[in-house]
Amino acid sequence: MTAPRRDSLKADSITPWGIVFMVVATAAPLTAMATALPLVVGFGNGVAAPGTFLLVAVVLALFAVGYTSMSAHVVNAGAFYAYISAGLGRRIGMAAGLVAVVAYNVLTIYVVGLIGYFSQQTFEAQLGLDLPWWLFSAVALAIALVIGVRGVELNVRALGVILLVETGVLVLFDLVAVARHGLDVLPAESFSPSEIVSGSPGLALLFAVTCFIGFEATAIFGEEARDPRRTVPKATYLAISVIGTLYVLTAWILVGTNGGTDAGSVAAADPGAFTIDAMASVLGDGSTTVIDWLLLTSLLAVLMALHNMSSRYLMAFGREGVLPRYLARTHPERQTPQAAGITQAAIVALVALVYVLAGADPYVDLGSQAAGIGSLSVIILMALCSFSVPFYFRRHGAVRPWHHVIAPVTAGLALAYFAFVILDNYAVVTGSDSDLVNAMPVLILATAVVGYVIGSRQRQAPILDAVAQGDQAESPTPTP
């Protein structure tokens, strides 16, 4: 019997719905509605927040057309890196790949800060335990690491339970609110074009896009999927459909419950209470305690999913030889990214320790500073990925106008605009007046330059690390 390779992931281990659980958990519906939606409503375009979520969902659906077309030809755990390399060449692909490594690791750091902050608040309020935030963060990170090493199947079961419970609460709220108040909680103004462009639509787009980050990770699990050329496209469309529908409907009802056209002033007055108070008014005061604990499990689900994505990117680059090859080593029996997972957890813990020693706030400082860099990076990567699609299929022939040109280019232009809006509002994202903090996007450019240089120096290397993966390999293409 042939021993499993120590640099490959376990094939045929995850179904389309399993991937959907992983990526929807990353989007964290309850967390998004409780933390980001109030900002969209209060400081963005008010009653039109649901329309903004719908607009973003449409753009990401267009992105998915080209993205899934690529997934049928390139199967690799470093999805953005692999796809952009195949379309725009190794140098740009390597630049994008290193940005992706940084992006998902930074987003993991962001969630570690959030889960520490909210855990500390909840345990003190509900149980009277006053413990340091970093203790909760450390326990949550350890759980994510252990479950990640145990395997995708266990991850899917754990995330599936958490996701079903928190989604169930949101759906219950939606149903009860409509049953009690009818069309009064569904204001028509929410989808009015004039309302969508009112207020600060750029700020609204910024936070709405951030809520969707994670759905693009379907391709990262391609090597472990059952029949990835069919599984990844199906999972991508399922994920965007589930996330988009839940966000638009729940945001619409939350806006309606908070007074419709008056919801903006309600959210601006107390963003933290906007969602919780609305749900309590519909489900009863006792639901507040349940929602507090569900928010913690929701954040844990996000952490587990982001840890898995980050580990797979580190593994892909270790297998390529760009990062230490040690990172490519998988668990001898479970074929999970063991070395990359341990390394990723150690990096996150080290960064969090720096903030602890500096006496920084895990939410205001660690959270906000990490979120801006991570979100902006992923949006830029999605735009580049969209632009790579027509180049790839033109070089390989059989160009389909809608799938390979119109949809991806339209999505790329829209995503590029979203990135511009985030940069233009970056001080709002960080909540800081520090020039140093608000100059952090320069790190994205610096990382991309390093990747570009590495790609230029390795022009004779295979363009994708998937070339060593048998039938899933993508043929090398010239570096432009």
Side-chain angles (χ1 to χ4, degrees), residues 106-120 133-134 136-138 140 299 303 348 352 355 361-368 370:
V106 168
L107 286 171
T108 305
I109 293 169
Y110 160 60
V111 176
V112 162
L114 283 184
I115 202 167
Y117 175 84
F118 285 106
S119 294
Q120 182 185 46
W133 69 267
W134 55 262
F136 296 104
S137 293
L299 284 167
L303 180 59
V348 171
Y355 277 83
D361 184 276
Y363 188 29
V364 176
D365 299 317
L366 174 59
S368 62

Side-chain angles (χ1 to χ4, degrees), residues 95-182:
L98 283 186
V99 170
V101 171
V102 172
Y104 285 110
N105 276 279
V106 168
L107 286 171
T108 305
I109 293 169
Y110 160 60
V111 176
V112 162
L114 283 184
I115 202 167
Y117 175 84
F118 285 106
S119 294
Q120 182 185 46
Q121 300 298 313
T122 299
F123 272 74
E124 183 175 5
Q126 303 290 345
L127 303 177
L129 296 176
D130 186 12
L131 300 173
W133 69 267
W134 55 262
L135 180 61
F136 296 104
S137 293
V139 171
L141 185 60
I143 292 173
L145 174 60
V146 170
I147 293 180
V149 172
R150 288 292 303 274
V152 170
E153 303 98 323
L154 181 58
N155 265 289
V156 169
R157 288 195 292 271
L159 292 175
V161 171
I162 293 173
L163 178 62
L164 287 174
V165 173
E166 68 169 280
T167 302
V169 170
L170 291 177
V171 172
L172 177 63
F173 163 74
D174 293 342
L175 294 175
V176 174
V178 173
R180 288 184 179 178
H181 305 290

Side-chain angles (χ1 to χ4, degrees), residues 139-385:
V139 171
L141 185 60
I143 292 173
L145 174 60
V146 170
I147 293 180
V149 172
R150 288 292 303 274
V152 170
E153 303 98 323
L154 181 58
N155 265 289
V156 169
R157 288 195 292 271
L159 292 175
V161 171
I162 293 173
L163 178 62
L164 287 174
V165 173
E166 68 169 280
T167 302
V169 170
L170 291 177
V171 172
L172 177 63
F173 163 74
D174 293 342
L175 294 175
V176 174
V178 173
R180 288 184 179 178
H181 305 290
L183 297 180
D184 290 340
V185 294
L186 301 173
E189 295 89 346
S190 291
F191 301 98
S192 167
S194 61
E195 292 288 349
I196 291 175
V197 298
S198 67
S200 301
L203 184 62
L205 281 171
L206 184 155
F207 288 106
V209 172
T210 302
C211 290
F212 281 87
I213 287 180
F215 98 94
E216 79 287 347
T218 50
I220 293 177
F221 299 96
E223 289 185 33
E224 297 155 281
R226 298 172 187 170
D227 189 6
R229 287 173 173 79
R230 297 180 60 185
T231 297
V232 171
K234 184 182 296 184
T236 303
Y237 286 120
L238 282 172
I240 192 64
S241 299
V242 171
I243 297 172
T245 301
L246 186 60
Y247 281 175
V248 172
L249 182 60
T250 304
W252 196 10
I253 294 173
L254 282 169
V255 166
T257 305
N258 279 286
T261 54
D262 295 326
S265 58
V266 175
D270 190 353
F274 180 81
T275 297
I276 304 300
D277 286 355
M279 295 184 72
S281 70
V282 172
L283 300 178
D285 293 336
S287 65
T288 302
T289 300
V290 175
I291 294 169
D292 283 343
W293 290 107
L294 279 178
L295 180 58
L296 298 188
T297 60
S298 176
L299 284 167
L300 181 60
V302 180
L303 180 59
M304 288 192 293
L306 283 172
H307 170 74
N308 276 284
M309 295 173 195
S310 302
S311 299
R312 280 157 178 76
Y313 264 103
L314 287 174
M315 176 188 167
F317 274 76
R319 194 163 58 188
E320 188 79 359
V322 177
L323 294 177
R325 292 190 182 276
Y326 156 79
L327 295 172
R329 295 188 65 81
T330 56
H331 190 280
E333 297 177 358
R334 301 181 184 279
Q335 287 185 271
T336 52
Q338 182 181 40
I342 293 173
T343 302
Q344 195 272 343
I347 292 172
V348 171
L350 182 61
V351 173
L353 179 61
V354 172
Y355 277 83
V356 171
L357 295 177
D361 184 276
Y363 188 29
V364 176
D365 299 317
L366 174 59
S368 62
Q369 292 168 21
I373 290 292
S375 301
L376 177 59
S377 298
V378 173
I379 291 171
I380 292 173
L381 290 170
M382 288 194 290
L384 282 174
C385 189

Side-chain angles (χ1 to χ4, degrees), residues 391-402:
F391 288 96
Y392 174 83
F393 285 100
R394 184 187 66 176
R395 189 161 53 242
H396 288 74
V399 174
R400 301 169 65 186
W402 171 253

